[in-house]
Amino acid sequence: MIYSVIPEELAPELYDRMVEYYKDDPNVKVIIDRREGPDRRAGQDPAEFKEKREVRDRRHRRVPGTFPPIVSGD
């Protein structure tokens, strides 16, 4: 999904035109950015967020151990 984000100040003149432009593309959604207030990350050290970030691996882990040797029937 691709999001085409329009600032709230430009929404009255752009939103309808953008929706019309992308109406035949189901992979694009036009949205209006309605966030308010200061950016909570402003002025903070990016390293501070790195410590809070949790990296998860969703792949299935292999069963620990070794495989038995392959014996050919020749």
Side-chain angles (χ1 to χ4, degrees):
M1 176 66 67
I2 298 171
Y3 293 100
S4 176
V5 182
I6 300 175
E8 192 167 17
E9 303 82 37
L10 300 176
E13 62 185 81
L14 285 181
Y15 182 76
D16 291 333
R17 289 184 3 205
M18 295 295 284
V19 169
E20 180 65 24
Y21 184 80
Y22 289 113
K23 71 180 178 186
D24 295 327
D25 190 343
N27 296 318
V28 177
K29 181 169 177 75
V30 180
I31 60 174
I32 299 171
D33 183 4
R34 299 186 190 272
R35 294 179 289 181
E36 294 180 3
D39 185 352
R40 291 179 284 178
R41 296 171 296 169
Q44 295 181 2
D45 182 21
E48 178 182 335
F49 293 103
K50 189 172 186 176
E51 294 173 4
K52 294 180 182 178
R53 183 173 181 177
E54 179 182 335
V55 178
R56 295 174 50 186
D57 188 359
R58 294 182 179 197
R59 293 177 287 187
H60 292 285
R61 299 206 184 273
R62 201 185 78 163
V63 176
T66 58
F67 290 104
I70 298 175
V71 180
S72 68
D74 294 331

